[in-house]
Amino acid sequence: MKNKQQNKAAASEKDKQLEGHSESGENQFLTTNHGLKINDNQHSLKAGERGPSLLEDFILREKITHFDHERIPERIVHARGSAAHGHFQVYESMSKYTKAGFLQDPELKTPVYVRFSTVAGSRGSSDLARDARGFAVKFYTQEGNYDLVGNNVPVFFIQDALKFPDLIHAVKPEPHNEMPQAASAHDTFWDFISLMPESMHMIMWVMSDRAIPRSYRMMEGFGVHTFRFVNEKNESHFVKFHWKPLLGVHSVAWNEAQKISGFDPDFHRRDLWDAIENQNYPEWELGVQLIREEDEHKFDFDLLDPTKLVPEEIVPVIRIGKMTLDRNPDNFFAETEQVAFHPGHLVPGIDFTNDPLLQGRLFSYTDTQLIRLGGPNFHEIPINRPVAEVHNNQRDGHMRQTINKGRVSYEPNTLAGGCPYQAKMEEGGFTSYPEKVEAKKIRGRSRSFFDHYSQAGLFFRSQSEPEKKHLIAALSFELSKVETVAIRERMLLHLNNIDKNLTEEVARNLGMTIPESSFNGHLNGSIPADETPGNFQSIPVKQSDTVSEALSMANTVKDSVAGRVVAILIANGVDTSSVDIIKKALGAKGASGKLIAPSLGPVTGLKDQILTAEASFFNTSSVLYDAVIIPGGNGSIKILSENTDALHFINEAYRHCKTIALEGAETLLRATYLKEDEGVILIPSGDITQKVDAFIKAVAGHRVWDRELARKVPS
Ligand code: HDD
C-alpha cells in the first residue's frame, strides 16, 4: 500500500516537473518570455510601412535572440537518438544480492526514461547506419537516479578509457573533408582498429547483423562492464546486466539498411514512436549474471576486461524484472536532447569494479554535460531531476532554478540545525564497497587482458550460416572502402587469428591474398616490447571449438508480430473482403497492414467498394515493410503483374528474405523472380481466411535467411 502511494506520488511529481505550455490550452494569449501579451506577431516595428526596422522592437529582438540560441552542442558520441518513458518492476526481491530499493518489492513501479542511439553519426544522421546502438536507462528510484548506460553489444572496442578519444576521432568523419557521415567504412577507422587487437571481438559484433537492428524494440541491451551488487550485510557479488527484448532480437539486411536510410532515415525513431502510440508497448526483461567474489579468477579472461563477455552457458542469465515503455515524450528537445546519463549515477546496493574503461567513463559524463547543457545545474532540468528529494549546499551557477532559502550553505553548521546532515548506511547513505586495493602506481595493463582473439572466434563460430555470410559481406564492404592497402592487409592478419575461412572469403572479395605476418610497428595491447616485439606473433591465439547459442540471433524468440508493418499491394479490382480479413487478422496480433497501390487515393474493389491507398509506389518502398501480401481479385492481380514498380517491390522483398503471400496470383508470381520456399505462401483464390494465420506465423519468424544459402538471392 505504502509503495502504491509512493509510486503514484513519484509519477505525479515527475509529471508536474514536465508540465509546461501545452498546445491544447484554452484562453491562452501569446506572450513574450516575460509575460507581456503580444498584439501583433506578424510584423516587426518599422518607421513607416516601407521604412527601416527599429532597434526599439524588443519583441522582435527577444524572439530572434531566442531562436538564434535554440541549438545546444550535440552529444560528442550517441548524438542521434530517440527515447521513451516507462517503468520497471522487479519480479521478486533481490535482497540476497543487493539492497537497491528498486530491486526489492515486486509491487513497486519505478519510472524510467530510456534513450536509444547510434554512436558515430550526427544528430541528423540515419537510424540505419551500421553501428553499435546505445541503450541508456534512467531509473528514477526513491533513493536517487540510477543510470544503466549500456549498448546493444556486450563488449567494447577498447580496454582503457584513455583510448576513447582516439577511437571516436578515428570513426567520426575524417577531419579534412568531413566524410563519411555515420559510417565506419573509411581509412581512419580501420587504420586505428588494425592497430588495436583488443577491438577484434567488438568488430565481430559491429560487422554482424546486430549493428543493423530491425527496431529498437528488438535489440538486446548490456551494461557491458562488470558491476557489483552489494547487500545489507555488505557482501558483494559481481554482476553483468542484460536487457532481453520480449519481441526477440531481429535485424534487417545490409542492402535493405542502406535503402531505408534513403527512404526513411527516421525508421527506428518512427517505429518506436508508432509502437507506443498504438499501445504495442515495448518490453524487456532485466537479466543478471551473478558471480561470487571468490570466483573472480575462475574464468579464462578477466572480469574487469570490457572486451570480454561471460558466456551464458557458463553463468546463466537470471531474469529479475521487466521494463515497459508506454509513453512517448512530449517534447524531443526538453526530454530526449536534454537528458543526461551517467554511469556514475548510482544507488546504494550497486557499485563499480576497477574496469579501466568504466573508471574513465566516471569522469567523462559529468564533464560532457557541463559543456553540452551549459553548466553545473543540468540536474535541475525536469527530465534529469530525481523523484527523491535533493538537499545539499551546492548553490548558484548558470541557470540555477532552485531558490535556496536561508543563509546556511555549508556543513557542518549549527545555524540550520545541522541540516542537511549525512545519512548513515542504515539510513540509506551511500558507501563504497570497501574493496582492498594495494598496488604500485603504473601505466599498464594486466596480462589477463591480452587474449584478444578467443572471444572474437567464439562469436563468429556461434553464428548461423546466414549470419556468418552477412558478417563476411560486411567486412568485405567496409574494407573495400579502405583505400590504403596496408590497412586491409593488417586487418586480414587479425582476421586470420579469428577464423581462417572468414579471412579467406574476405580476402577473395578484396582481391587480395593473406599476407605473411610481417608487421613490426606498435600494436596496442600486445605483450610489452621489452618482452617481445609488438607484432602479431606476440599476441596469444588460443584454439577452441566451443560455441555459445545465445550469441546467434537465429536462436531468438520468434513468436510475435506486434508492431510489425505489412505491405498489402492492391489495385482496381481487388477483392476488398480479402483486404478486410488480412487487416483484421494482423490487427488482432498487434501488427498493421498498409494499403499500397499504383497511385494514392481511391481504389475501386470488386463490387465497387472503395478503398483508399495509404501509400503508392511513388513514395514508399518494400524496405520499409516486414512482409508483403497480395490479396486476390483478377483485375488487381492483372494490373500489378504489368506494373514494373509492383514487380520490383515484390522482388526486392524476396531478395531481403521477407515473407510474401499471394492470393490467386499465378500470373503475378510468374512475372516475378520468386521461387517457392517456406516464406513464399501461395493462397488459392477465396482461401485467405484459412491461410492468413500461416502467413502471420511466417512473418513472426522474421526472415527466411536460408533463401540466401540456396543462392536464390544475394546476401
Ligand atoms: Fe559513452 C554517451 C554508452 C564508453 C563518453 N555512452 C553515451 C551514451 C551511451 C554510452 C548509451 C548515450 C547516452 C544518451 O543516450 O544520452 N559509452 C557507452 C558504453 C561504453 C561507453 C556502453 C563502454 C562500455 N563513453 C565511453 C567511454 C567514454 C564515454 C570510455 C569516455 C571516456 N559517452 C561518453 C560521453 C557521452 C557518452 C562523451 C556523450 C554524451 C553523453 O556522454 O552524455 O561522455
Side-chain angles (χ1 to χ4, degrees), residues 12-243:
S12 67
E13 178 59 18
K14 201 72 218 148
D15 286 351
K16 227 181 352 186
Q17 287 172 0
L18 299 174
E19 258 172 35
H21 159 76
S22 108
E23 249 174 32
S24 54
E26 284 171 16
N27 301 326
Q28 283 176 339
F29 287 112
L30 188 68
T31 72
T32 65
N33 280 335
H34 302 279
L36 177 73
K37 286 181 192 157
I38 293 175
N39 167 262
D40 181 344
N41 192 34
Q42 318 308 323
H43 305 97
S44 48
L45 190 68
K46 299 178 201 79
E49 277 172 2
R50 302 181 61 247
S53 298
L54 299 179
L55 184 62
E56 180 193 316
D57 190 351
F58 61 94
I59 294 177
L60 171 78
R61 278 188 288 119
E62 181 197 86
K63 187 171 173 181
I64 301 285
T65 305
H66 196 279
F67 169 76
D68 288 346
H69 295 253
E70 270 174 11
R71 291 286 93 84
I72 61 172
E74 67 173 31
R75 289 168 175 83
I76 179 72
V77 282
H78 296 265
R80 169 83 187 166
S82 307
H85 293 272
H87 59 267
F88 172 81
Q89 264 177 299
V90 72
Y91 291 145
E92 54 186 71
S93 172
M94 292 298 291
S95 62
K96 189 171 165 206
Y97 303 103
T98 173
K99 59 185 171 191
F102 76 107
L103 297 177
Q104 305 302 316
D105 181 357
E107 291 272 297
L108 184 71
K109 269 191 179 182
T110 300
V112 297
Y113 194 63
V114 182
R115 182 173 180 272
F116 305 104
S117 46
T118 53
V119 181
S122 294
R123 239 190 96 175
S125 59
S126 163
D127 282 343
L128 263 290
R130 172 176 293 286
D131 202 348
R133 298 296 186 286
F135 193 128
V137 181
K138 188 179 282 296
F139 297 84
Y140 301 92
T141 89
Q142 288 160 19
E143 297 172 299
N145 288 352
Y146 169 57
D147 292 355
L148 184 52
V149 195
N151 281 342
N152 76 331
V153 172
V155 291
F156 203 64
F157 291 103
I158 48 171
Q159 294 174 326
D160 191 314
L162 190 67
K163 299 310 298 167
F164 191 70
D166 297 301
L167 166 73
I168 301 306
H169 288 174
V171 72
K172 284 272 182 182
E174 298 192 5
H176 59 314
N177 58 14
E178 183 85 355
M179 290 193 280
Q181 179 54 246
S184 52
H186 58 114
D187 282 50
T188 58
F189 177 70
W190 288 100
D191 184 25
F192 177 77
I193 292 298
S194 68
L195 299 170
M196 298 289 289
E198 71 208 60
S199 64
M200 290 309 140
H201 186 195
M202 175 94 173
I203 284 295
M204 289 292 110
W205 284 81
V206 291
M207 291 300 118
S208 81
D209 293 345
R210 300 265 181 161
I212 38 173
R214 158 64 182 85
S215 157
Y216 290 139
R217 301 176 294 128
M218 299 167 204
M219 293 188 327
E220 287 185 309
F222 303 91
V224 182
H225 314 282
T226 304
F227 291 89
R228 283 177 190 282
F229 266 168
V230 184
N231 66 15
E232 286 288 356
K233 292 187 223 150
N234 225 18
E235 295 162 340
S236 150
H237 278 79
F238 293 107
V239 57
K240 288 268 184 188
F241 291 110
H242 296 244
W243 290 109

